[in-house]
Amino acid sequence: MILNGSGTLYVAIIGAGPAGYYTAEAFAAKHDNVHVDIIDRLPTPYGLIRAGVAPDHQSIKNVALRYAATNEKDNVHFIGNLELGRDVSMEELQQLYDVVILATGAPKDRALGLEGEHLQGVYGSGSFVGWYNSHPDYRDLNPNLKTPTAVIIGNGNVAIDVARILAKTAQEMAETDLAPYAASEIHTSILKDIYIIGRRGPVEAAFTPKELGELNKLENCTPLFDPALLEAFEENTDLTVVQKKNLAILRDIAANKPEKDKIRLHLSFFQRPVAIEGDQSLTNILLEKTKLMPNGVEGTGHTAELKCGLLVSCIGYKASPIEGIPYDTRSGVYVSSDGHISGNLYCVGWARRGPTGTIGTNRPDGVGIADKILSEITPSGKAGRQGLDVLVQTRDLHTVSFANWKKIETAEQEATEGNAPRRKFTNIDKMIKIAES
Ligand SMILES: Cc1cc2nc3c(=O)[nH]c(=O)nc-3n(C[C@H](O)[C@H](O)[C@H](O)COP(=O)(O)OP(=O)(O)OC[C@H]3O[C@@H](n4cnc5c(N)ncnc54)[C@H](O)[C@@H]3O)c2cc1C
């Protein structure tokens, strides 16, 4: 494609996660006359591939190799440790670049909206998963694992990830990049019961069969499921392929019996938390039985108390509001028309559509936004990267190039013990020191 107008189109993508990389890849594939800078607040690229995807799912994390290849292109550059809003303003970026694309994901946990949510022992999955995945923001979360009972709210794969990471043994996690400080807490915990709690039934759950099936293969944990709930499945003649596969797995799980000395993982449905109680720390939650209604679920008024010391809510995420950028508080995304926010500002990935789909869903999203931009925006003689470099130098900011990120990556690989793929660093100053060595 030939750009209308002359000169280079300078594109700033904010966020080096899957959406940012697929968008950069699409621009680079379309022609050479585009210069793409992928900017991230962390010194490390890859967003949730590094800090969200479960540490025992290393094959999924291999998608980062594809993003690394995008960095090999002459016209694509990673700039780490540069945060929009902290180091550089939106206005400055919009003045320096022809196009600014928000690929900042949805890093904020959705709240349960219950009093007691602030108690110690209660966490959103963004922070809890970030903690065991070495995200620098959550290194010091210090969650309470000295409890026999953990409750996980939500019926998607993130809930299953959290349960599985809590339940797996040190041996099962040996070849993963689970944060060592999290490993020592988890593998010395006194957990006996883990509950995964869903407001709706097993038919409605958003688990995928691969993740659900893994629960029945854990060394030290027995998943349990009430066989009476199989009826709803069996009566339903409109099941999707995924639901049929989940049904087969749940039939197997329903045949399990609690085993002595193994963690019991209860798959509990038709319940919702209505109160989170404790003084400073969580001591118990109140669960209300629910029933399915045509437009969702309704409480039945029947409640039961469950004593627990750890609660992780896995009920979704929101984009971070940015001053001056229209934001839909209900859906938790920036307001856009097919990704166009206003002027030369666009959004893509979870920042555009919310936390849905798989990693791969971000690819067509990235291709679509690149096509849209190339049909709408022409180069206008902006300063682009040179202008940003001046700003970075004036402010004495320590940004990280892709070559310098590779130094951090190598140091993380060299810091491992045994067969772990890497030992991720959490201290940003330490990472910058390595990057600048
Ligand atoms: C716990 C968890 C497990 C998952 N597991 C899987 C899985 O197994 N398989 C699968 O297909 N999908 C999985 N997903 C979904 C997948 O991770 C997402 O589809 C994908 O990461 C979304 O990409 P994104 O680029 O929109 O956002 P992100 O990956 O969140 O990337 C956003 C980037 O923006 C950066 N950023 C944010 N704010 C700023 C700022 N102000 N300035 C500069 N940079 C900023 C962040 O540091 C981050 O690097 C999982 C998600 C979660 C939460």
Side-chain angles (χ1 to χ4, degrees), residues 14-20 39-42 44 46-49 52-54 57 60 82-85 103-107 129 135 158 161 211 317 348-351 353 356-360 362:
I14 319 302
I39 294 170
D40 206 282
R41 60 185 286 265
L42 295 177
T44 54
Y46 312 140
L48 287 171
I49 301 305
V53 171
H57 282 174
I60 294 173
L82 187 69
E83 181 169 331
L84 167 66
T104 41
V129 169
H135 191 298
V158 175
D161 278 355
E211 275 70 19
Y317 307 95
V348 69
W350 275 20
R353 53 172 217 281
T356 57
T358 62
I359 295 163
N362 298 293

Side-chain angles (χ1 to χ4, degrees), residues 198-397:
R199 286 180 306 157
R200 298 187 292 171
V203 179
E204 292 77 30
F207 309 134
T208 52
K210 178 183 169 287
E211 275 70 19
L212 187 62
E214 279 179 78
L215 296 181
N216 220 11
K217 297 179 187 141
L218 299 173
E219 238 168 60
N220 187 38
C221 174
T222 314
L224 300 166
F225 171 68
D226 179 359
L229 292 177
L230 286 172
E231 277 169 30
F233 260 129
E234 272 143 12
E235 284 164 8
N236 193 325
T237 51
D238 292 330
L239 294 182
T240 62
V241 175
V242 166
Q243 286 168 329
K244 282 182 189 158
K245 287 186 181 171
N246 281 349
L247 169 61
I249 296 162
L250 285 170
R251 266 203 206 105
D252 288 345
I253 293 180
N256 289 344
K257 297 272 172 292
E259 291 169 85
K260 196 171 172 284
D261 298 332
K262 283 197 180 184
I263 295 173
R264 297 172 287 265
L265 170 53
H266 310 264
L267 298 171
S268 305
F269 298 91
F270 298 113
Q271 292 186 73
R272 66 178 181 194
V274 288
I276 301 176
E277 294 168 346
D279 189 0
Q280 293 210 323
S281 301
L282 169 72
T283 52
N284 58 283
I285 62 170
L286 205 60
L287 291 166
E288 181 181 29
K289 260 189 104 45
T290 61
K291 60 180 180 195
L292 273 183
M293 301 300 285
N295 312 328
V297 292
E298 197 176 88
T300 61
H302 296 286
T303 57
E305 192 185 275
L306 179 60
K307 283 196 188 330
C308 55
L310 175 68
L311 185 152
V312 184
S313 70
C314 307
I315 58 166
Y317 307 95
K318 290 176 157 195
S320 294
I322 301 174
E323 212 187 313
I325 308 302
Y327 181 81
D328 181 338
T329 43
R330 229 184 109 252
S331 52
V333 295
Y334 305 114
V335 178
S336 77
S337 167
D338 283 339
H340 181 219
I341 298 177
S342 62
N344 65 347
L345 181 61
Y346 293 78
C347 58
V348 69
W350 275 20
R352 180 182 83 78
R353 53 172 217 281
T356 57
T358 62
I359 295 163
T361 315
N362 298 293
R363 187 167 173 269
D365 210 358
V367 172
I369 206 71
D371 281 343
K372 185 176 170 66
I373 289 167
L374 289 170
S375 71
E376 290 176 357
I377 303 260
T378 52
S380 57
K382 298 264 182 151
R385 177 61 188 271
Q386 278 189 341
L388 184 71
D389 284 346
V390 170
L391 192 146
V392 163
Q393 275 162 22
T394 318
R395 293 185 185 162
D396 196 21
L397 299 170

